[in-house]
Amino acid sequence: MRQSLNKYAWAALLACTYGCSSGSESGPAAPPADQDASVDQTSDAPESDGGADATQEGATDGGIEDCNSPPIVPTGDNFFVDISEASGIRADNFVPNPPTAIPINDHSRLGFADINGDGYDDIVAHSLFPNPKAGIPFEHLVFINNKDGTFKNASDESGLRAVQAGFFAFGDVDNDGDQDAFAGLDITDLAGQTHHLYKNDGSGHFAVVTASGLEGTAGQTTASNGVFADFDGDADLDLFVANGQTGYLSLDQLFYNDGTGTFTKAPSSALGGNYAAASNGAVACDYDNDGDLDIFVSVYGVSSGGAQDFLYENDGHGSFVDVAVERGFASMPTGNPWLDLTDHGKAVEPNKEPGTYTGGNGFGIDCGDINNDGLLDIFITNISHPVASDLSRAWSDPTLVLINQGAAQGWAFRNETADRKVPFNEGDVDGAAIDFDNDGRLDLSISRDKKYEGSYTAEDQKAWFGLLHQLADGSFESLGVKSGINDPGLALLRMKNAQNHAWSDIDRDGDLDLLVGGRDTGGGRPNFLFKNQIGSQNRWLALHMVGDGVKVNRDAIGARVTVRDNVSTYLREVRATRGMYNSMDGRALLFGLGTLGCSYTIEARWPDGTTVALSPDAVGMNRYVTITYPDKIVVD
């Protein structure tokens, strides 16, 4: 069904909707030379559920004569609204006045997944370690999206509530069209428990698979992340498991899927350069534009081997080698920017070289095209302690914005954190790169630990949830306190001491809403949900990518779409998870179109290398569209 539009969205729609048919040179880009130049927008690819064929509906709407780009609506203040209580997500979040003390009384590891397949993202939240060691089992909450901004508690009927695991990673491992779940365990001494795979029956009910190949060995379960992706190019989802988190030195693991959801552990040689480390965050993306997914891992513990981050580069067949040092990703030479000793992050660590510079206490990590040049950059959140007397702390990496320099520079990354005015905060944990206001530029969001804020007076060094808005010159302004996310009155400590956070357009109005885990600070703490009030006032486009399950995995993880005019490039890539303990954002590719011009192209590149041009007239604007492999367009 077509989304209803508010007055701002209608103004944007009338300004330039379908690429402008009033004599402009709009239309799809020519396919590459090795592709068939005739792109069939109604091919024999599998149909998506529901919706009308866009070639018919687009023809009904037609073009718009006035093709000028509308101005960007400024953010103002309080552009996020707290809907936590009204949404229903607070049910069972924590136990008020428990009869016996609960060490950590919350469900602050969390994220989004469409577990019942209705096109709306649901919520899954996990109780926080280390409750099981205190005799209180893990618990998982499942909230089904009612499509009206509220959620139904389906924790029991899902079959997931009592699963003994620290987090879930969701993916369609058997290409049957629904989301299955890897249940990753992050502690080693839980009564013989191991990892498990749970299969979805198609309606959001899960049952354990007794021999999936992912179980691992009891007593050796130290998982921090599970990243689903088709690493070996055979159209089914494999699994990378980052191990160690903040407490163990462990080897990362890779598992290959046989196509049915049964997995085989890859040999150690398949992760070349892997060594026992505290891998704490992971994300998969194609940073070198060669058509396969590479793996970035943030490592915790500057006192344990210098905490060198991993960049596992894919050879195209599912084998990897760590190239982090060569790409300038493993660790930075510049140190903590708060200290005179490091010349505030401008000096180079003495007597060190690439691969031996002190690394960071890495937590969150995300991929995204931060500078709109068609290359994927990296955002890493680190806890960095400004202690001049301890050199491993003084020279540790702070939170970083690393800009991809492309093929001409050997796919190296340049640290532009200071140039882009990203503020230092000692307690940065989870982080994401998103466009919350749909101005076409990626912004940054940060969860922060409050235990360090007493040493500082300025707001940017306090534990407020960090929302950094990217300006036209590429620098970032801090909007956290004025955004409406943070509450100066500190009701429920909102939104200090956030754990995981995740982004999804829960009501499909064209902008990203925010889910935040409220980490317990004593007495129990609920989670928070904030409705975005600004993004849908600017132009947008949401694409749901669907593979055929034969040439491309059904989740289309690794598929990318690029929207270009003669000034701007907007790139989005489907990914499974990011960050620490599997922060899970919505899978739809949501484009803020900013000041996109009248004549533009839309190109989709699928994980098997198939590249197709999509008609802007058929795709449209300010609506949700499903793109089914290779070029079937259906308006949701």
Side-chain angles (χ1 to χ4, degrees), residues 20-82:
C20 307
S21 60
S22 55
S24 70
E25 296 179 357
S26 62
D34 59 349
Q35 294 285 332
D36 188 339
S38 61
V39 177
D40 179 12
Q41 300 293 166
T42 56
S43 71
D44 292 330
E47 293 279 343
S48 175
D49 292 338
D53 192 299
T55 56
Q56 299 169 0
E57 187 167 354
T60 301
D61 289 330
I64 302 298
E65 290 186 3
D66 182 5
C67 197
N68 295 320
S69 300
I72 299 298
V73 178
T75 58
D77 296 345
N78 298 314
F79 42 88
F80 280 93
V81 174
D82 186 350

Side-chain angles (χ1 to χ4, degrees), residues 164-190:
Q164 292 308 285
F167 65 88
F168 295 144
F170 289 92
D172 186 357
V173 301
D174 49 6
N175 281 329
D176 65 351
D178 56 43
Q179 294 296 292
D180 309 301
F182 167 68
L185 191 58
D186 61 338
I187 54 178
T188 61
D189 51 356
L190 189 59

Side-chain angles (χ1 to χ4, degrees), residues 82 464 484-487 491-496 525 528 530:
D82 186 350
W464 302 114
I485 297 169
N486 295 298
D487 175 16
L492 292 174
L493 209 64
R494 198 189 91 192
M495 192 58 249
K496 291 188 175 183
R525 190 148 177 243
F528 298 79
F530 299 93

Side-chain angles (χ1 to χ4, degrees), residues 274-353:
N274 183 25
Y275 64 90
S279 293
N280 201 25
V283 67
C285 60
D286 181 11
Y287 85 97
D288 53 0
N289 286 0
D290 63 354
D292 54 44
L293 291 176
D294 312 295
I295 305 169
F296 291 80
V297 180
S298 63
V299 175
Y300 176 90
V302 295
S303 60
S304 301
Q308 304 296 298
D309 295 327
F310 293 111
L311 168 46
Y312 295 118
E313 187 172 280
N314 195 334
D315 68 356
H317 304 287
S319 289
F320 297 81
V321 62
D322 179 26
V323 296
V325 175
E326 296 93 316
R327 304 294 184 255
F329 175 74
S331 55
M332 301 299 118
T334 46
N336 189 293
W338 197 255
L339 297 174
D340 292 337
L341 174 69
T342 68
D343 192 17
H344 300 284
K346 299 176 184 177
V348 173
E349 186 175 6
N351 305 315
K352 293 291 184 70
E353 58 187 16

Side-chain angles (χ1 to χ4, degrees), residues 356-544:
T356 67
Y357 296 127
T358 302
N361 293 314
F363 283 86
I365 186 166
D366 200 4
C367 284
D369 184 4
I370 292 173
N371 60 346
N372 285 353
D373 65 351
L375 303 173
L376 291 175
D377 311 302
I378 296 294
F379 177 51
I380 305 178
T381 47
N382 285 293
I383 285 182
S384 180
H385 305 296
V387 182
S389 60
D390 183 338
L391 294 184
S392 68
R393 292 187 168 195
W395 291 101
S396 69
D397 293 339
T399 290
L400 299 169
V401 173
L402 303 177
I403 300 299
N404 191 335
Q405 301 300 293
Q409 300 296 321
W411 299 107
F413 288 89
R414 182 177 185 269
N415 180 6
E416 297 189 3
T417 312
D419 294 342
R420 293 176 179 271
K421 300 180 182 178
V422 175
F424 169 74
N425 190 291
E426 189 172 355
D428 289 351
V429 282
D430 198 20
I434 41 81
D435 181 7
F436 75 84
D437 63 340
N438 285 342
D439 66 355
R441 297 184 291 267
L442 288 184
D443 312 302
L444 305 176
S445 57
I446 307 172
S447 298
R448 288 169 171 156
D449 194 313
K450 75 180 179 67
K451 70 176 68 172
Y452 311 110
E453 72 168 3
S455 301
Y456 306 92
T457 58
E459 288 179 344
D460 278 340
Q461 283 71 53
K462 294 293 185 179
W464 302 114
F465 186 87
L467 189 66
L468 306 181
H469 181 228
Q470 187 176 173
L471 303 177
D473 64 0
S475 66
F476 291 92
E477 63 174 338
S478 180
L479 298 183
V481 175
K482 63 185 293 187
S483 65
I485 297 169
N486 295 298
D487 175 16
L490 291 181
L492 292 174
L493 209 64
R494 198 189 91 192
M495 192 58 249
K496 291 188 175 183
N497 217 48
Q499 178 71 16
N500 292 68
H501 68 270
W503 296 89
S504 171
D505 185 5
I506 62 168
D507 46 9
R508 290 169 62 110
D509 65 348
D511 53 31
L512 291 170
D513 306 301
L514 175 63
L515 175 69
V516 188
R519 182 164 182 172
D520 182 21
T521 59
R525 190 148 177 243
N527 294 328
F528 298 79
L529 183 62
F530 299 93
K531 178 175 172 52
N532 189 336
Q533 300 277 73
I534 181 63
S536 59
Q537 298 184 37
N538 293 311
R539 296 181 304 163
W540 58 275
L541 172 64
L543 301 178
H544 178 211

